[in-house]
Amino acid sequence: MKRSVRFPVPAALARLLDRRPVSTTLLRRLAYASIVANVAIVVTGGAVRLTASGLGCPTWPRCTDASYTTTAEMGVHGVIEFGNRLLTFAVGAIALATLLAVLAHRPRRAGLRPLAVAVFLGIPAQAVLGGITVLTDLNPWVVGLHFLASMAVIAAAYALWRRIVDPDGPAVPVVPGPLRTLARLTTAVSIAVLVVGTWVTGSGPHAGDHGAARNGLDPETISQVHADGVFLLIGLSVALVLALRAVGAAGPARAALVLVAVELGQGLIGFVQYFTHLPGVLVAAHMLGSCLVLLATLAVLWSTRERRPVAGDPVAPPAEQRVPAAV
């Protein structure tokens, strides 16, 4: 039998949490806030790069060799970079509140704790990666890894949000096996498009600082590879919509239709920004769109199965309280 990962809680904290139980409604709101906060810091991190403020604080963890905070001599770039660093604490505070809410939620849900811990630990891990990007003078490969790590934290936060209203029984498919495979393939292509997107960014003009290096890839060639991946992703998503409708899977089909709509919007932004020479506002919108594509993809994958209560599980929430298939 597979054992669940356990994270021991100090006795004093456990007693305090027992006296302050957290409702499912509050827990869901905190988990949703964690998703929003992590998406927001991706966009603000992009703003740092788009304003050439990536080295506004030229070192890490201090802002300068002598100060943890920005100084007047560093100008607006220092303010922008330091402000983004401060936002990390806000995102971390939300993640900590969510983790404590999971621990205080009654009945206890063993499946929630690992996800809440993953989101919480992902914040300092992201801070360290951000520091490495500064210490490596905004190496484009490290910057890309920093973005992808943010996507992983967002995925964990989304899984937690959805898991809160799922019973603790095993996951049961609600669509035929080939369609589950198609959904997994679509997810894999979506992730690949995100990865290649970081290569496009690393080859383009928005380095985050005027002296930062580029990854050496030809921007036109790698942009074409990225566009080809987007066309494949849209094609797979449309196929999912049609196939799910054909088997009468209304909920998953709606989730797939939302995914197609998000992909088309993201693709439009991508083409416009390319042919208008990458204006900053559209690049920022494209980064937001990347987060939305990821969330919509996860919604499709999640909709192809459901968890059902088994004997001994905590009481599952009523069906009308469950999260809809699409975000």
Side-chain angles (χ1 to χ4, degrees):
M1 181 180 291
K2 185 179 178 180
R3 294 183 178 180
S4 59
V5 180
R6 294 185 178 275
F7 298 91
V9 180
L13 177 58
R15 288 193 296 271
L16 176 63
L17 294 174
D18 283 335
R19 292 196 295 267
R20 296 286 188 274
V22 170
S23 67
T24 299
T25 299
L26 176 57
L27 182 55
R28 284 184 62 195
R29 287 174 178 172
L30 285 170
Y32 187 79
S34 188
I35 297 173
V36 173
N38 278 284
V39 170
I41 203 166
V42 168
V43 177
T44 60
V48 171
R49 180 167 55 84
L50 294 169
T51 57
S53 303
L55 293 178
C57 288
T59 188
W60 187 89
R62 295 175 184 265
C63 192
T64 71
D65 290 333
S67 173
Y68 281 99
T69 62
T70 186
T71 62
E73 292 78 10
M74 299 171 70
V76 66
H77 294 308
V79 172
I80 293 173
E81 164 64 5
F82 182 69
N84 192 63
R85 293 187 183 189
L86 287 180
L87 282 177
T88 302
F89 291 97
V91 177
I94 295 173
L96 176 59
T98 305
L99 174 58
L100 293 175
V102 166
L103 298 176
H105 183 253
R106 297 295 180 270
R108 288 186 173 90
R109 303 284 305 284
L112 302 183
R113 194 178 298 183
L115 291 170
V117 169
V119 174
F120 175 66
L121 294 182
I123 308 305
Q126 275 292 77
V128 171
L129 270 175
I132 294 173
T133 65
V134 172
L135 296 176
T136 57
D137 294 326
L138 305 183
N139 180 289
W141 300 107
V142 180
V143 172
L145 179 61
H146 189 37
F147 172 80
L148 294 175
S150 292
M151 296 296 103
V153 175
I154 290 172
Y158 178 82
L160 174 61
W161 180 64
R162 293 297 299 260
R163 189 74 175 82
I164 289 168
V165 290
D166 275 351
D168 287 331
V172 178
V174 296
V175 299
L179 295 188
R180 287 269 288 167
T181 300
L182 181 57
R184 293 190 187 101
L185 177 61
T186 303
T187 302
V189 173
S190 181
I191 293 171
V193 168
L194 287 175
V195 172
V196 177
T198 66
W199 302 348
V200 175
T201 299
S203 70
H206 296 295
D209 183 80
H210 298 300
R214 302 285 72 203
N215 59 22
L217 299 176
D218 177 64
E220 185 173 347
T221 300
I222 197 62
S223 294
Q224 184 61 57
V225 172
H226 183 57
D228 291 342
V230 171
F231 286 130
L232 175 60
L233 177 60
I234 293 174
L236 290 171
S237 302
V238 171
L240 260 178
V241 173
L242 298 176
L244 290 168
R245 285 185 170 179
V247 299
R254 284 194 300 272
L257 187 59
V258 170
L259 174 60
V260 171
V262 173
E263 288 167 350
L264 290 175
Q266 176 74 334
L268 177 61
I269 293 172
F271 277 110
V272 173
Q273 72 169 4
Y274 179 79
F275 289 109
T276 55
H277 307 292
L278 304 175
V281 64
L282 288 182
V283 175
H286 201 55
M287 293 187 70
L288 173 60
S290 297
C291 298
L292 298 180
V293 168
L294 173 64
L295 291 170
T297 302
L298 293 175
V300 172
L301 191 61
W302 210 275
S303 72
T304 61
R305 94 293 177 277
E306 66 179 19
R307 291 183 181 272
R308 296 171 183 169
V310 296
D313 275 350
V315 178
E320 63 270 14
Q321 293 183 13
R322 296 184 186 177
V323 180
V327 284

